Amino acid sequence: MSKADGMRYAPKGKPNRVVEDGQFVFAAVRLDHGHIYGMCNGLVEAGATLKWVYDPDPAKVEAFLRTYPQAQAAESEEQVFADADIQLVASAAVTSERGPLGVRAMRSGKHYFTDKAPFTTLEQLEDARIANAETGKKYAVYYSERLHVESAVYAGQLIEQGAIGRVVQVLGLGPHRLNAPSRPEWFFEKEKYGGILCDIGSHQVEQFLFFTDNSNASVVNSKVANYANKDYPELEDFGDMTFVGENGATGYFRVDWLTPSGLGTWGDGRTLILGTEGYIELRKYIDIARDRDGDQLYLVNADGEQHIKARGMVGFPYFGQLILDCLNGTENAMTQEHAFKAAELSLLAQKHAVKVE
């Protein structure tokens, strides 16, 4: 990951404290992806106390402690799990290791907060469902392309207010810059990263379920390809999927690792949300050739056309809600079934995808 690309992984928002120091204590375990910084930023801004960090790579721990000097370096995963003060374990492990780590965390009496994709197999998902049911601990997922993007948060609020009527379709575009030399070896091993629809596609599935208010959907078709990176034969640099929600809303998304070097950010992520009375377009990370700032929201309805710069407007309420859910046994941040269903659909899309090239 280059320094420029890495900036995306630690978004910061307006202070949104819901607890005071020491009321909610968490640890960071396994630092294999830069998303761990965004996850920890969100929790700390909501008032959580970061006590421990653990990773077998001392260099990763050293870098982490430069950002979060309040944390202590643990000697092992077991030391973190044995600490009765720890209420939640946050992790951005190698993708194939996230599910098993989460099960260990829950069975150690901790809530678990993982980077997406939360699983690479349906068997891992089933193990997590069982552990969740038996322990009552949360298996939360950092679907950052909605939860940590203010334009997406604001779009959800507008939809709830009825700004575009009933949502009937969501189009999601999730292009990413590959920057292959900066990636670890596991990133190119399909058994470890799970495939493009399982990985970055999970963001898009979660957004579809949320914006259309669906608790379930069916995969109509899905495709994957490796168009431009034959030196990495296990990499999929393109994927798409079409699905239909149980309430009749439809969705299509495209994800890829084909962002050109000339773009001013890591990817031109967009979401188009069609309602019966209007539509919303999100230009999440850049408004190309016009504005390098992200969080650009376009709204068209009976009241006319609006362009709204959402950055700094609404913050990131998910993290405070997650903390309160862990403390109170509620499900206001995201229901457990929603988090699991988004993972399940992306895994099914990946499993049945047609390989185009």
Side-chain angles (χ1 to χ4, degrees), residues 161-180:
Q161 295 163 15
I164 59 171
R166 174 191 170 193
V167 175
V168 295
Q169 188 186 49
V170 176
L171 301 178
L173 304 177
H176 288 60
R177 178 176 288 140
L178 180 59
N179 198 13

Side-chain angles (χ1 to χ4, degrees), residues 4 53 65 109 115 133 155 158 182 210 224 231 237 244 307 313 329 344:
V53 57
L65 290 174
D115 186 19
L158 289 171
S182 71
F210 177 78
V224 296
D231 290 342
D237 61 17
V244 178
H307 172 210
M313 289 184 60
E344 178 186 339

